[in-house]
Amino acid sequence: PHHHHCHHHHHWLARPFLHCPTEVSSATGYEQWDSLRAMGPGSVHKAALRHLNAVRNSYKVDSSVLSRTISPSLLVFMSKVRANSQCIIEKVGGPNRWRPHLKTTKLPSVWRELYKQGVKNYKCATCREARVFLESLDAELREGWNEGEGDSAAAADLLVAYPALGPNLEEVANLAAQNPWCQISILCDHTSAPERVTEAKNLGVYVDVNPGMNRTGIPYTEREAILEICAKADDQFKGIHFYEGHMTELSFEKRREKAFEGYDRLFELLEYLVGNGISISEVVTSGTPSFTCAIQYPSFGNNSFMMGGQKITHRVSPGTVVFSDHRSEMQNPGLGLQPAAVVYSRVISHPTPNIVTFDAGSKSLAAEVQPVAFVMGHADVLTPLTPSEEHFPQQHDDLSADDVERLFGIGSGHLLVPSHICPTVNLAEKAVIIDGDENETLYSVTDVRARAHDVGWGGSMIIQNGK
């Protein structure tokens, strides 16, 4: 990576937000959030925007760095990464209860921070995420490996939380064979899967149970099919994956009620499996929308629970929370997270008196959640319109021409906070990593190594057609 040290003055990218309304900050924040929501869904949104404006002043980037940075570009603030991860570790009751999904962060430097904070269990979705994780933490994992000490021997545990089939499965099996210092597992959700998986003796198996999200998994009602997979996987069977990512109601009370109903049914299934002689080492649930519900469900215990004489570990798997974004702030208010990855963008045009256009668009911001992003520090005055590939217009209603010039002059740089950070990171090939304290800041440009997909082979093939 190219390093750039800065010792001189910082400047703010834009005028600091002048009046900071109170933030949601009770023990959980949920009581206030639900009272806000009672006033209408718009109140939830406005409170999240106020939070964005209130934290604006803590994002400082040296002007000499910005003047050399082509926009739009992804900026990652490592101090925010550390604070967010620490916050989640405290919230869930320790690093062992967290199995963060790597698809959000995609950056080895961020994964090393998590590993340093004691997080040893991870989830990913793609072969590339798995490969880059193993390559980039190779030294740390080998060092933490206790060869020959049974299950506790692995220095880390990686669940490829995706149905791996064909060459994808072969690739994951190869990675498992080459990296004995990491326990690698995959998901199964159909009864023919374990035969193919159990050929690779070092792969663990989690049965994917569909909690009603209807994306992947066996419906939790089909107990016999689930039992059959557990039995077929034999001693490679590790646990149950129960991802209730569809529970996104803004009211925390409603979300918790619905999640608890799901966990009750999950427990009935677990009792059935244990009663049929299956030994379960882990139950992994919950992404960003519902992990706050799971940690309040009494039967999960603090990190493990007993059932039929077995100790079963419970883990939650939110990944977005490491970087945080506008949508997760709306889903989990008052956690104290701050956006750690943002898109730096410049104003390129004032096409009408009440529109300012930024040089970001669907090539640099995930566009499947609308509005796609908000301008930090000015989220109260700018309303995002729908972006095209390279243009992101935002509308204002009551700014004078002088205000527009002062706040959003042509060429002025701003931080955009995406609604959905995970695919936003996937769009960036490089990121500017900002790491430092009061005395000095290190700026470096690094590859977003786990973005996109591997193909599995290179070069070219000539196939004789029809022969």
Side-chain angles (χ1 to χ4, degrees):
H2 312 288
H3 294 301
H4 180 58
H5 275 279
C6 285
H7 299 270
H8 39 283
H9 71 286
H10 284 89
H11 85 144
W12 283 267
L13 290 159
R15 261 170 62 97
F17 188 63
L18 298 178
H19 51 287
C20 292
T22 52
E23 286 181 70
V24 178
S25 60
S26 71
T28 63
Y30 296 118
E31 299 82 1
Q32 281 156 285
W33 206 251
D34 279 344
S35 66
L36 272 172
R37 191 176 177 278
M39 294 155 54
S43 311
V44 177
H45 174 65
K46 282 185 182 129
L49 294 184
R50 283 203 299 273
H51 173 69
L52 272 190
N53 286 339
V55 299
R56 176 67 191 87
N57 288 353
S58 63
Y59 291 78
K60 297 181 176 70
V61 188
D62 197 90
S63 51
S64 65
V65 173
L66 292 175
S67 63
R68 300 164 58 172
T69 301
I70 293 174
S71 53
S73 54
L74 183 70
L75 310 185
V76 176
F77 292 83
M78 293 305 285
S79 60
K80 310 280 185 194
V81 165
R82 287 184 200 102
N84 288 349
S85 330
Q86 209 40 59
C87 175
I88 297 303
I89 288 170
E90 283 166 25
K91 188 80 182 166
V92 303
N96 189 44
R97 197 174 187 180
W98 188 20
R99 187 183 273 283
H101 205 310
L102 301 176
K103 68 174 180 176
T104 303
T105 44
K106 299 191 187 292
L107 286 158
S109 50
V110 171
W111 302 341
R112 279 191 206 98
E113 285 298 332
L114 291 171
Y115 195 77
K116 249 187 243 168
Q117 291 192 0
V119 179
K120 298 294 186 321
N121 300 280
Y122 301 89
K123 250 167 90 160
C124 72
T126 68
C127 293
R128 177 171 288 179
E129 286 163 0
R131 177 177 62 75
V132 172
F133 174 78
L134 294 163
E135 285 172 3
S136 55
L137 266 80
D138 186 66
E140 289 90 337
L141 298 182
R142 284 175 193 242
E143 199 181 308
W145 189 41
N146 308 311
E147 195 170 354
E149 283 189 26
D151 278 353
S152 62
D157 184 304
L158 179 64
L159 168 59
V160 181
Y162 201 81
L165 305 168
N168 299 46
L169 177 56
E170 221 167 288
E171 169 71 1
V172 176
N174 289 340
L175 289 172
Q178 293 154 15
N179 294 272
W181 32 88
C182 186
Q183 167 62 55
I184 298 175
S185 306
I186 61 154
L187 292 185
C188 283
D189 76 349
H190 54 105
T191 47
S192 63
E195 278 112 53
R196 291 199 288 279
V197 175
T198 47
E199 288 164 21
K201 277 289 167 215
N202 44 359
L203 269 187
V205 172
Y206 284 71
V207 177
D208 191 15
V209 175
N210 176 8
M213 191 170 184
N214 302 336
R215 194 170 67 174
T216 60
I218 306 182
Y220 57 85
T221 48
E222 293 181 21
R223 294 173 171 193
E224 290 76 17
I226 293 169
L227 177 63
E228 187 186 333
I229 297 182
C230 298
K232 273 186 184 171
D234 197 28
D235 58 355
Q236 285 173 256
F237 173 68
K238 296 285 178 199
I240 297 291
H241 180 260
F242 185 86
Y243 180 71
E244 72 295 25
H246 58 305
M247 298 185 184
T248 54
E249 288 90 351
L250 285 178
S251 157
F252 181 69
E253 287 307 318
K254 277 191 186 147
R255 204 184 329 161
R256 183 168 58 187
E257 190 183 317
K258 196 167 159 187
F260 278 20
E261 283 168 18
Y263 305 147
D264 290 345
R265 291 192 292 258
L266 170 62
F267 263 76
E268 287 164 17
L269 171 66
L270 296 175
E271 278 160 4
Y272 167 79
L273 295 174
V274 169
N276 278 277
I278 300 296
S279 79
I280 302 168
S281 66
E282 181 182 354
V283 172
V284 56
T285 69
S286 316
T288 296
S290 53
F291 84 96
T292 41
C293 305
I295 58 175
Q296 292 188 14
Y297 185 67
S299 301
F300 283 141
N302 289 332
N303 183 200
S304 64
F305 55 93
M306 298 301 294
M307 184 179 284
Q310 292 184 34
K311 182 181 174 191
I312 302 176
T313 300
H314 171 250
R315 291 193 176 99
V316 290
S317 53
T320 308
V321 289
V322 178
F323 280 166
S324 192
D325 55 20
H326 178 68
R327 186 168 72 168
S328 51
E329 178 58 31
M330 286 181 66
Q331 288 166 347
N332 289 307
L335 279 185
L337 304 179
Q338 294 186 12
V342 296
V343 172
Y344 177 62
S345 179
R346 291 183 174 90
V347 175
I348 49 167
S349 182
H350 297 159
T352 76
N354 69 332
I355 290 180
V356 293
T357 301
F358 293 81
D359 62 0
S362 60
K363 282 182 180 174
S364 53
L365 292 162
E368 81 282 0
V369 178
Q370 297 283 344
V372 301
F374 297 89
V375 180
M376 193 186 280
H378 302 290
D380 55 327
V381 292
L382 290 179
T383 304
L385 305 176
T386 304
S388 50
E389 288 174 60
E390 295 100 0
H391 300 84
F392 187 11
Q394 303 219 13
Q395 193 171 333
H396 56 86
D397 293 329
D398 44 11
L399 291 179
S400 67
D402 286 350
D403 280 342
V404 171
E405 205 44 60
R406 180 173 53 86
L407 297 171
F408 310 110
I410 302 292
S412 64
H414 299 267
L415 300 183
L416 304 183
V417 176
S419 282
H420 195 189
I421 189 62
C422 314
T424 298
V425 173
N426 193 56
L427 291 167
E429 196 175 21
K430 306 261 183 199
V432 178
I433 307 283
I434 301 163
D435 197 0
D437 52 29
E438 301 74 54
N439 305 317
E440 81 174 359
T441 305
L442 174 69
Y443 295 86
S444 54
V445 174
T446 186
D447 292 328
V448 183
R449 280 189 57 202
R451 68 179 291 274
H453 289 270
D454 286 338
V455 173
W457 60 278
S460 54
M461 294 188 214
I462 295 177
I463 308 284
Q464 298 296 328
N465 298 329
K467 298 272 170 72

